[in-house]
Amino acid sequence: MNLNIQEKIKIVRTDPRNTDFIELTKKLDSILQESDGEEHEFYAQYNNPADLDKAVIIYINNDPAACGAIKKYSGITAEIKRMYVQPDYRRKGLAGKILDELEKWSSELNYSECILETGRDLLAAVNLYKISGYEVIPNYGQYAGKERSVCFRKVLDE
């Protein structure tokens, strides 16, 4: 990771009611509102914190820097949701750390795969998922037929 030696990193497993998680996702929502444009209401309805099962936050020097969440999609599949890194902490490997922790937790919860959706135009996210071993799959569920969406799947290690 590219953080300075003086910076202290802490990864915290929590739930989606955590106030730091809520504040981070509010910042994510404002970015998504801009990128989603007229379709924001459609996508926003699938990002309700009450529908999420678990959340992860990375703190840098006690400052909430990044987050992500998982929710049950099926008996074997966890869905990755709400991935976000604060602008000051981008390009430091935090998104990969969040994704790794969500995958590890999903495996501990006996899920055998993770799926997720992101915007085609969110190139940093698309690249992260590709280099993290996710494969593009047909758009699933509510995202079927949505041209601005791209969906991914990864089989978790045993």
Side-chain angles (χ1 to χ4, degrees):
M1 184 160 75
N2 302 332
L3 294 173
N4 294 331
I5 289 288
Q6 296 88 2
E7 294 180 307
K8 182 180 174 190
I9 183 171
K10 180 169 68 170
I11 300 174
V12 175
R13 291 181 177 186
T14 186
D15 66 64
R17 294 181 308 271
N18 178 295
T19 56
D20 289 333
F21 178 76
I22 291 168
E23 289 305 309
L24 287 168
T25 59
K26 284 180 183 177
K27 293 175 182 182
L28 170 61
D29 287 335
S30 69
I31 291 169
L32 292 177
Q33 186 168 17
E34 189 174 311
S35 78
D36 293 343
E38 293 176 3
E39 291 190 282
H40 182 68
E41 290 301 316
F42 169 80
Y43 289 101
Q45 70 182 320
Y46 299 109
N47 290 317
N48 185 339
D51 296 335
L52 303 174
D53 299 323
K54 311 286 184 193
V56 171
I57 302 169
I58 289 182
Y59 292 89
I60 306 291
N61 298 326
N62 296 317
D63 183 30
C67 69
I70 52 176
K71 73 181 250 188
K72 180 179 181 174
Y73 185 79
S74 75
I76 63 164
T77 307
E79 186 177 19
I80 305 287
K81 304 287 287 179
R82 316 277 44 214
M83 293 279 298
Y84 176 72
V85 178
Q86 296 252 45
D88 288 349
Y89 295 107
R90 292 184 183 157
R91 301 191 184 284
K92 297 180 184 286
L94 297 183
K97 286 196 169 300
I98 287 285
L99 191 57
D100 288 346
E101 189 68 19
L102 292 171
E103 290 171 4
K104 181 179 174 188
W105 204 358
S106 294
S107 186
E108 291 169 10
L109 294 168
N110 296 315
Y111 292 112
S112 58
E113 65 182 11
C114 289
I115 59 172
L116 60 90
E117 177 274 343
T118 193
R120 271 188 202 286
D121 58 334
L122 299 175
L123 299 181
V126 169
N127 289 334
L128 168 70
Y129 301 130
K130 285 181 178 179
I131 65 171
S132 298
Y134 282 76
E135 62 182 1
V136 175
I137 59 171
N139 288 3
Y140 60 86
Q142 65 270 19
Y143 307 113
K146 289 293 186 181
E147 289 185 21
R148 74 162 302 281
S149 291
V150 60
C151 293
F152 291 90
R153 173 181 174 264
K154 181 178 181 179
V155 175
L156 300 174
D157 294 330
E158 303 291 330

